[in-house]
Amino acid sequence: MAEQKKMPRSWRGVATLDQAKEHIDFGVLVTWREVRNLRRNLGEEAEAEVIRHFARRLVERANGRLQAEMTVESLMLWLTSAGSEKLLHTFLEELFAQPGCDDACWILVELALTAEPAETDHGDAMFEMAVAMICELGLSVQEYNKAFPGEFNRANQLLDYIATYLLSVSNANSICIRLSLLHYFGVFEHELNHKNYLNRVMGRFGHTVLDHLFTLLFTKRSEAVALQFLVENLPFILEADNSTQKIVHETFKNYMLKHPDRFSLFAQTFAEALANSDDASFANASKVYLQHLAAMLRVVSNVNHKTLARELIVAVVKFKNALNFADVIQTLRQDPEMRQPFLTSLDKLLSDKPVESSSAEKVVEIRLSRRGRRPAFSRSEGLGTMNQVTYLGGIEIQRAS
């Protein structure tokens, strides 16, 4: 008769992939220090296999509450220690590859967002990772359900369940959590007529988050990541309700008057990205942004800032193909508060040959080449949302400003 293996009490001494899998099978809870040592010993490929093993065991244990809790807590601690978006995606890919993963998703949402971790010193970081994970889980389920309707069991009910849980954590003070939720609900409701969740989270923390992002946008060391997050997520915010647009307007006005040179550069950079988007679903965001630019022009006209007005006009002209372009221009021309020289500049840019984009580039080049080269925001292409959120949420405003 084969001797039954004795259940280990800790991960001490674990140095190989097989040993790590065995401890997951036994349901032994890993500690922060043990994870750090293990990650050094295992290497990237073995670590990815450990994360896949967590996914397989979670699906098997979905109906066993205690075992599932131990598995999810060890998983969250490991992912938090690694801070790797690639590992997070590795877990989700393996989870979805398992038959019966539907049921496991429900228990994962509940345990990740409600369980009290044993290591309270890292509880806040683990909770931020849990929110990031459930956001990625929800968007993956939504995308899969669109591509293969009906194949994911109770997909719409699960998405409602996820949205309810995520909304319940929107009062958290963590900037990381707020950025994650902003991205999630923006993408989740993008092609829906209503923006119920996005409107609610913007009402709760929209001012704070936009202020944080624009402060970091105008700080050299963080501008690249802040710009990427804004370019990718501001279009969703522009689709939200009038209350949200008031928040956007106040934020734009504040930073435009505080940093006119850098704000005008942002206005043109974002206009370029939005106007040149091939995605027709962002047409409404373009219309709303054009209205914001017109409102900014009125503010600039009131303070008679000629240079800033010219730069904003360059951004406006980039939307010459927008559905409401003619209406916005006509409204500006009829506005008694608009100074005539500004309207003359607008008319000149609109009538210039060749097409306006070339003219716009020429105007920008003249003003922005004072120091020998044209200033621009540094770019950070390719960073995933979780990495953007972790970076931007980890910078204190006091140090950034």
Side-chain angles (χ1 to χ4, degrees):
M1 185 174 175
E3 184 180 346
Q4 189 173 2
K5 279 194 174 182
K6 187 178 179 181
M7 178 178 172
R9 294 186 177 181
S10 75
W11 286 63
R12 258 187 231 113
V14 174
T16 68
L17 174 60
D18 287 341
Q19 289 173 330
K21 286 183 175 181
E22 186 178 72
H23 279 62
I24 295 171
D25 293 342
F26 274 120
V28 182
L29 188 64
V30 72
T31 68
W32 188 266
R33 179 176 292 182
E34 289 165 348
V35 167
R36 292 182 64 185
N37 292 333
L38 275 162
R39 295 190 63 240
R40 280 196 294 266
N41 293 333
L42 290 176
E44 285 188 19
E45 289 187 18
E47 183 178 24
E49 182 55 31
V50 168
I51 295 301
R52 292 189 194 98
H53 203 67
F54 274 123
R56 292 189 283 264
R57 290 297 173 262
L58 177 61
V59 173
E60 291 176 4
R61 297 166 179 171
N63 295 320
R65 178 82 185 194
L66 181 59
Q67 285 186 311
E69 282 182 4
M70 303 290 279
T71 304
V72 170
E73 182 165 350
S74 288
L75 166 70
M76 295 313 308
L77 199 148
W78 196 300
L79 288 175
T80 305
S81 176
S84 167
E85 192 164 22
K86 183 178 179 182
L87 275 183
L88 174 58
H89 290 158
T90 295
F91 169 77
L92 292 176
E93 287 167 6
E94 188 65 27
L95 180 70
F96 287 126
Q98 303 306 306
C101 71
D102 323 51
D103 292 335
C105 288
W106 291 77
I107 193 68
L108 176 60
V109 173
E110 181 187 350
L111 293 179
L113 295 179
T114 63
E116 293 289 335
E119 296 203 27
T120 54
D121 288 350
H122 304 285
D124 290 345
M126 289 175 67
F127 190 56
E128 290 171 352
M129 174 59 73
V131 171
M133 168 189 278
I134 302 308
C135 287
E136 288 293 322
L137 173 71
L139 294 179
S140 298
V141 171
Q142 184 187 46
E143 188 176 332
Y144 187 85
N145 193 45
K146 284 180 181 177
F148 308 101
E151 287 195 17
F152 194 100
N153 188 34
R154 295 188 298 157
N156 290 327
Q157 292 93 321
L158 176 61
L159 290 172
D160 289 340
Y161 185 71
I162 290 173
T164 300
Y165 261 105
L166 290 177
L167 191 64
S168 73
V169 305
S170 63
N171 287 326
N173 289 324
S174 163
I175 287 289
C176 285
I177 289 175
R178 292 176 173 184
L179 291 172
S180 291
L181 296 181
L182 184 62
H183 173 74
Y184 178 77
F185 288 124
V187 176
F188 181 65
E189 296 184 311
H190 171 46
E191 296 188 76
L192 301 179
N193 291 328
H194 63 78
K195 313 290 178 187
N196 296 337
Y197 293 114
L198 181 60
N199 292 337
R200 289 175 73 174
V201 297
M202 284 299 297
R204 287 182 183 180
F205 55 66
H207 272 293
T208 305
V209 166
L210 286 179
D211 189 58
H212 188 88
L213 288 170
F214 274 90
T215 298
L216 298 184
L217 178 67
F218 299 125
T219 303
K220 193 63 183 173
R221 68 191 179 98
S222 54
E223 66 177 20
V225 183
L227 178 65
Q228 187 186 353
F229 189 89
L230 282 166
V231 167
E232 292 177 3
N233 292 279
L234 188 53
F236 302 127
I237 297 174
L238 294 172
E239 297 175 340
D241 63 8
N242 289 335
S243 296
T244 296
Q245 301 318 313
K246 289 178 183 177
I247 295 171
V248 174
H249 173 77
E250 290 301 319
T251 305
F252 280 178
K253 183 171 72 172
N254 178 36
Y255 284 92
M256 177 181 69
L257 297 176
K258 189 186 293 186
H259 304 286
D261 285 356
R262 301 300 283 174
F263 182 86
S264 62
L265 184 58
F266 164 76
Q268 293 178 20
T269 302
F270 182 66
E272 190 78 38
L274 195 55
N276 292 338
S277 173
D278 294 328
D279 190 341
S281 66
F282 286 110
N284 192 56
S286 294
K287 289 170 61 178
V288 174
Y289 183 57
L290 180 56
Q291 291 168 340
H292 277 294
L293 289 174
M296 292 301 102
L297 265 176
R298 293 185 189 95
V299 173
V300 173
S301 182
N302 285 332
V303 298
N304 198 22
H305 197 311
K306 298 180 179 63
T307 306
L308 180 54
R310 186 175 61 186
E311 301 304 336
L312 290 180
I313 289 170
V314 169
V316 167
V317 171
K318 292 182 187 295
F319 290 97
K320 62 186 182 298
N321 295 321
L323 295 176
N324 63 331
F325 184 75
D327 292 338
V328 169
I329 298 301
Q330 186 64 19
T331 302
L332 281 173
R333 285 175 176 149
Q334 295 174 350
D335 191 334
E337 294 187 15
M338 285 296 296
R339 295 175 186 269
Q340 189 56 46
F342 296 172
L343 294 176
T344 301
S345 297
L346 175 61
D347 290 338
K348 184 177 185 306
L349 264 182
L350 287 171
S351 63
D352 269 352
K353 305 296 183 197
V355 294
E356 291 84 343
S357 58
S358 299
S359 305
E361 284 299 310
K362 186 176 181 181
V363 174
V364 174
E365 189 66 35
I366 290 170
R367 191 187 71 78
L368 294 179
S369 59
R370 288 177 303 198
R371 295 195 179 99
R373 71 178 184 88
R374 178 177 169 182
F377 289 111
S378 53
R379 299 280 185 148
S380 183
E381 303 295 344
L383 265 189
T385 299
M386 193 192 91
N387 289 332
Q388 295 173 42
V389 165
T390 301
Y391 179 79
L392 297 170
I395 301 178
E396 293 293 335
I397 276 294
Q398 292 84 348
R399 296 204 305 267
S401 55

